[in-house]
Structure formats: structure tokens, C-alpha cells
Amino acid sequence: MPPLYSFQAVVHDLSCLMRRDPVIAVLALGAGVGAALLLLGSDRAPSPAAASVVLALVVGWAYIGSGLIARRQRPENRLGAVMVFVGFAWFATVLADADASLPFTLGTALESVYLVGFVYLVLAFPTGRLRGRLELGLVAAAIVLVTVVELAWLLFADSRSQICSDCPHNAFEVTRNDGLANGLLQGQRTIGVVLSVFTVVLLVRRWRRASPPERQAGAPVLWTGSAMFATLAISVGNDIFGQPLGAGPEWSRSVVFASIPIAVLAVLLQRRLARGAVAGLVVELGGGATSADLREALGRALGDPSLELAYWVPASARYVDSNGFAVDLPPAGSERTATFVERGGKPIAALVHDRALADDNELMQSVCAAAALTLENARLQAELRVRLAELQASRARLVTATESERRRIERDLHDGTQQRLVSIAMTLGFAESQLAADRPAVEPVLREARDALTTALAELRELTQGIRPAILVERGLAAALDDLSRRAALPVHLDIAISGRMPEQVEGAAYFVASEALANAAKHSHANEVRLSAVRNGAVLVLEVTDDGIGGAAAGGGTGLRGLADRVEALGGRLTASSPPGRGTTVRAEIPCG
């Protein structure tokens, strides 16, 4: 049923194109009828004439029809137009069998032009683009051989001595020079044989190096094209040595050449059948496929077992695999490429596959549409794994940071404030023992103790300020940010839109984000000024610190941003840092506070 349906679809495509391109249809019909009438009315047509007519019509119309179908399915691909050109160029070769001088000469001049389109078709299939300078050089060489060298040969060739004994007069002949004409003809044929053999080697090497999707996409055209170049080399070689094999090689070449449109149609049918198999993919995915099953199912549907899946995680703006590990998408120009899948206008996944599949855009779109829901579910699972991994890492960093901070506080208290208080106690004890005996001598000691006590209190105040500022506890975040801005090392433009108090954890996290961002701006950014804004949008507090410095900050770059992100994320919020080199740094925290 699917092959019959595909054949009917191809016929439908062709009929639609005939209605859409009536000029091409009329020209193709006229060219075919004209070629048939010329062959039937010519005294020089190959016998049997009926076989020549059938061959001319089948080949010409097959190329034009296949080209029109290819154009309809992929308008952006130039191979459809190339095939139409080959079909008309083939009809032009029939003029070489005309009895009149001018049509005969034109036909002889255009006799091999169709080979240029054929060379391009085989080398550029299925993308429609040549793959490098070597292939471009082959096409250029073919153009030179069938145009420049052919016309140069006709300028010196006597038709009856160079072509056939009963040929009409060569209308392009300027002067007869049998030696030069024969040299040009044999040189053209020899180079043609060499290029044909070289092209066969090139196509075989391409096949050996091709990936499975590339082989599947181009196998029919690749092998029939190779056979055509091989028979072309044999046919031209037969002409070089005076046709010892008779007309067999030329007929074989024509038959193989006629099979190329069939190979192109086979590829088009294969693609249509592949798109029809997407229904089976939908049924398979409906059974609750796991991540591994999903990848294998998509690989089977696309014919690429090496297919890989990457899922978009909006929170970290990156692609990850099913286990939550980061995935680097292939760069432009590599052997693999990525097709992005969206749902509801938002990215959900990327299919990393062989580059050959990108040429079958309809298949890729059908598969992506069929698997979008399943990919979205898999993306959510991957995102959950990423969040769990980040949570575990965040907890580990928080434990490490807490232990480090505890040790620092313990060290500061032991080495600084504790020693100073012990010294004060000893000083006061000494003063007490000396007070009665010598008051004037004790007073300096008491002043020294008072000063030391004042210093110790200041150190304690500074230490507790680093833990939780008193102004934040007593007056709230707005007042604390205002105080922080006044004490900053850089001028700060403040924009506060906060009413009322918020939970202590929220105010503490926001305060330390601002404090750390201002400290980073002063130490690292070489900024001239900073803008600090804090706005409460419903149930979310948005804090933003922007400087006009050199930029280049990173969450893991030692600037404390990673620790701030952990503190914010622990409250269900999000911290982002934008720091393009030379354009300053913006730290933005969004913290739920409702």
C-alpha cells in the first residue's frame, strides 16, 4: 500500500507541476514531438528509427518530469532545475541527425552539453551544492570540453572527413585543417575518458567515507551515476580507437543515462515513505518510551543510529543530556549538525544528527513534531536531574562556606577580640592593685584599658556587622541598602522601591548580594560609578547592581558570585551575572518574598 500511495503521489505532484509550470510543460511536449518528427523524417537517424524515437522521448521527458517533481518538493534545491536543463539539452542532441546543414551543425555543437548538467547532478546530489574546489574544477573542465573545445574543433573540421561520410556541411567551418581538427577531437575524448575514470574513483571514495544516512540518501543516484561515468569512458574510448566494439557502448551509455531519473525518483519515493513512517513513530512513543528508547526510536525513524539528544534547561541557558550533563552542540561546518525542536515557541531539545539529514527538511520537521511532547517530558526529567545535581553541589558549597566562615570567626575572636579582652582584664586587675597607693600613676593605665575596651567593642561590632548588620535587623532592607551605599568605595546611584518588611532570610540574602557586588565593583571592575536598584514586584524582590567597569566577571571566577548564587537559589530565587568585556557588570537577583 505505501509504494502504491507514493507512486500516486508522484503522479499527482507531476500533474500539479504541469499546471503550475505550463510553459515548461508545453516546451517539453514540443521538444519531444519535434525530436520524434526529426528522427522519423531523417535519412541519417540511427536504425531502427522507432527505437531511437522511444529512447529520445523517454530520456528527455524522464529528466524534465523528475526535475519538475524535485522542484516541487524542494524549491530551494537547484537540482530540479538542473534536471530540467539536462532534459532539454538531451532533446537538442537530436539535431545532430538532421539532414540540413545548420540544424546538423547546431546539434553537433550541443551534442555533449547535457553531460555538464549530468556531472553537476551526480556530484551535487542530494544537497544541490558542490563540496569543494575539486568538484567545482570537474564541472568547469566539463564545461570547457563540451563548449570551448567543441566549438574550436568545429571551426576546422570538415564534417564528411571528421564525422560521417553522408553528413551535411559544417556551417561553422572557417577553414579545413584535418590534422588540427583530429588533434582537438582526440584530445577532447582522451581528457573526457580520464575525467570520467577520475570521477568514478571520486564517487567510490565518497561512498566509502559516507555515513549511513548519507549512503541512504544518495545511494541510487551515486551508483547509477558511477555506472554512467564508467560506460561514458568505455564509449568515448571506443570512439578513440575507431569503434571496434560497434554501437553497443553508445547504446549502453544511453540506457544507463536513462536510469538516472529513475534513481532520483527512487530517492524522492524513499523520502516520502520515510515521512509516512512517522505514524509508526507516534505509536511507538505513545507507549511511554524512556530516554534511551526515545533516542533509538528517533534514530530508526531518521535512519541515523548515531543520533544524540540534548535538552534545553532555561535556568542555566544550556543544553544537557538525559543525565543532566552539559552538551556542546556541533559547530558550523562539522560532519554533524543540530536540529532544534520547539514547543509553544520555546526551545525544548536539539537533535544532533548526521549532516545529510538536514537536506530532508520535511522528514526532520515531521519527526520533531511527532516527538515534541515526548521530548518535552524527557526535557523536564533532564532539568530535574540538573536541579538535583546543582542542589547537591550548592549544599556542599554552603557546608564548606559555613565551616570556613565559622573558623574565620573563631580565629578572629581568638586572635583579636579575645586576646584584647584578656589584656583589658589583666590591666584592670593591675590598676585595682595600684589604685590606692598611687592614683596618678593608675589613671593612664585606666585610660589605656578604656581605649582597648573601645577598640574591642569596635571589633565586635565589625564582626557582628559581617554576620548580620544591626541596621538591617532594626530598620529593614531599604535602610540597610542606603547605609551600604553611603559607605561604598564608589559613588552609588540608589533606586529603592520597597514598602514594608520582608522575611529575614530574603533581606539578608539581598543585602549580601548588594554588599558583595559593590565590593567586587570597587576591587575588580575599575568602575567610576555603580547603580543599585531594589524593587518589589508582587511576590518577588528584584535587586540589580550595575557598574560601568571593564566587565569580564564570571560566576566561578573567584569574585564570590557562586556563593551568592547558592544563597539566592537556596531561597528558590535566581542570580544572574552579565559581564561582557568592556561593557561593565550587572548582577541581578530575583528572590521570592511573598
Side-chain angles (χ1 to χ4, degrees):
M1 183 65 180
L4 177 60
Y5 168 76
S6 300
F7 176 76
Q8 292 173 344
V10 169
V11 174
H12 176 265
D13 290 345
L14 185 57
S15 62
C16 290
L17 276 166
M18 291 302 181
R19 292 193 298 269
R20 181 182 299 178
D21 297 319
V23 175
I24 296 179
V26 171
L27 290 177
L29 180 62
V33 172
L37 293 176
L38 188 149
L39 289 172
L40 291 174
S42 173
D43 295 332
R44 302 178 45 255
S47 58
S52 300
V53 170
V54 171
L55 180 64
L57 294 179
V58 168
V59 174
W61 282 342
Y63 271 93
I64 295 174
S66 299
L68 291 175
I69 293 175
R71 281 184 59 193
R72 182 176 188 271
Q73 292 195 3
R74 299 189 61 193
E76 76 285 354
N77 193 315
R78 66 188 66 173
L79 290 184
V82 170
M83 293 188 69
V84 172
F85 164 79
V86 172
F88 281 110
W90 173 263
F91 282 135
T93 63
V94 177
L95 293 173
D97 293 320
D99 295 326
S101 174
L102 184 58
F104 158 75
T105 306
L106 289 175
T108 304
L110 300 174
E111 195 169 18
S112 301
V113 170
Y114 73 94
L115 291 175
V116 175
F118 167 74
V119 171
Y120 186 94
L121 170 66
V122 175
L123 293 179
F125 193 86
T127 64
R129 300 181 299 272
L130 297 175
R131 304 189 181 188
R133 294 183 178 179
L134 178 60
E135 296 184 357
L136 182 62
L138 286 173
V139 174
I143 293 174
V144 172
L145 281 179
V146 303
T147 57
V148 177
V149 177
E150 186 79 9
L151 289 175
W153 168 66
L154 286 173
L155 294 178
F156 306 101
D158 177 73
S159 59
R160 299 200 173 185
S161 64
Q162 294 290 318
I163 304 176
C164 62
S165 59
D166 59 343
C167 287
H169 172 67
N170 175 13
F172 291 170
E173 181 182 350
V174 175
T175 180
R176 178 174 178 176
N177 189 327
D178 291 345
L180 178 58
N182 188 64
L184 288 171
L185 179 61
Q186 298 303 326
Q188 180 193 44
R189 289 172 173 175
T190 302
I191 295 175
V193 171
V194 172
L195 292 180
S196 297
V197 173
F198 180 79
T199 305
V200 172
V201 174
L202 177 65
L203 294 177
V204 172
R205 187 180 68 170
R206 179 189 293 182
W207 170 263
R208 295 181 61 184
R209 295 183 177 181
S211 61
E214 286 179 321
R215 292 182 178 181
Q216 183 177 358
V221 175
L222 186 67
W223 287 115
T224 53
S226 299
M228 172 60 188
F229 279 112
T231 55
L232 177 63
I234 295 174
S235 175
V236 175
N238 185 51
D239 292 338
I240 292 176
F241 294 103
Q243 296 187 338
L245 301 178
E250 184 175 355
W251 274 96
S252 299
R253 183 185 72 183
S254 300
V255 171
V256 174
F257 181 68
S259 67
I260 300 295
I262 299 175
V264 173
L265 286 177
V267 173
L268 297 179
L269 291 175
Q270 177 180 304
R271 289 182 175 180
R272 188 176 290 273
L273 290 174
R275 290 194 291 273
V278 173
L281 174 65
V282 174
V283 174
E284 185 175 359
L285 296 181
T290 63
S291 296
D293 295 337
L294 174 60
R295 187 191 69 80
E296 292 177 358
L298 292 175
R300 285 193 298 271
L302 294 173
D304 184 6
S306 66
L307 177 81
E308 297 177 3
L309 297 178
Y311 304 100
W312 176 251
V313 180
S316 54
R318 58 174 176 162
Y319 283 94
V320 301
D321 60 15
S322 58
N323 295 318
F325 297 109
V327 172
D328 294 327
L329 299 182
S334 64
E335 293 299 320
R336 299 182 66 76
T337 187
T339 296
F340 300 97
V341 185
E342 295 184 351
R343 193 163 186 263
K346 297 180 180 180
I348 58 174
L351 276 60
V352 181
H353 53 80
D354 192 277
R355 186 175 57 183
L357 292 173
D359 297 317
D360 196 350
N361 188 50
E362 292 186 12
L363 175 61
M364 292 301 305
Q365 289 181 352
S366 300
V367 169
C368 291
L373 179 59
T374 307
L375 286 171
E376 171 66 8
N377 293 333
R379 186 199 70 80
L380 293 175
Q381 296 176 8
E383 184 177 13
L384 179 59
R385 294 187 182 94
V386 170
R387 288 185 176 274
L388 288 175
E390 290 179 348
L391 178 60
Q392 292 174 350
S394 176
R395 286 179 174 177
R397 288 192 297 267
L398 285 175
V399 169
T400 302
T402 301
E403 181 65 17
S404 177
E405 187 68 11
R406 186 191 65 78
R407 290 178 180 176
R408 185 188 69 80
I409 294 174
E410 180 182 3
R411 183 176 61 252
D412 290 346
L413 288 173
H414 181 273
D415 297 340
T417 306
Q418 181 177 334
Q419 296 297 327
R420 197 175 299 280
L421 291 176
V422 169
S423 176
I424 292 173
M426 295 176 61
T427 301
L428 291 175
F430 175 76
E432 182 181 6
S433 64
Q434 299 293 324
L435 182 61
D438 189 0
R439 186 179 184 88
V442 173
E443 288 181 350
V445 176
L446 292 176
R447 283 195 299 272
E448 180 182 351
R450 186 166 54 250
D451 293 341
L453 184 59
T454 301
T455 302
L457 290 174
E459 289 180 351
L460 282 175
R461 188 177 298 109
E462 182 178 354
L463 186 60
T464 56
Q465 184 83 1
I467 299 174
R468 188 163 179 82
I471 189 172
L472 179 63
V473 175
E474 297 171 1
R475 299 175 55 190
L477 181 61
L481 292 178
D482 181 69
D483 178 70
L484 183 64
S485 300
R486 296 177 187 275
R487 293 186 289 106
L490 294 173
V492 178
H493 298 277
L494 198 61
D495 180 15
I496 305 295
I498 302 174
S499 59
R501 298 296 299 269
M502 290 174 286
E504 292 183 3
Q505 299 91 335
V506 174
E507 291 187 340
Y511 178 84
F512 286 111
V513 168
S515 177
E516 184 71 21
L518 290 176
N520 286 340
K523 294 178 183 179
H524 308 294
S525 71
H526 303 285
N528 296 317
E529 63 180 16
V530 183
R531 294 185 178 274
L532 170 59
S533 67
V535 180
R536 183 172 182 175
N537 293 329
V540 178
L541 171 65
V542 180
L543 179 81
E544 192 168 277
V545 181
T546 303
D547 65 55
D548 60 355
I550 61 175
T559 59
L561 295 180
R562 181 67 264 177
L564 294 179
D566 290 340
R567 184 188 290 264
V568 171
E569 291 170 1
L571 298 174
R574 180 184 179 188
L575 184 136
T576 57
S578 174
S579 187
R583 298 173 58 185
T585 300
T586 297
V587 177
R588 179 184 176 90
E590 301 175 8
I591 310 173
C593 59

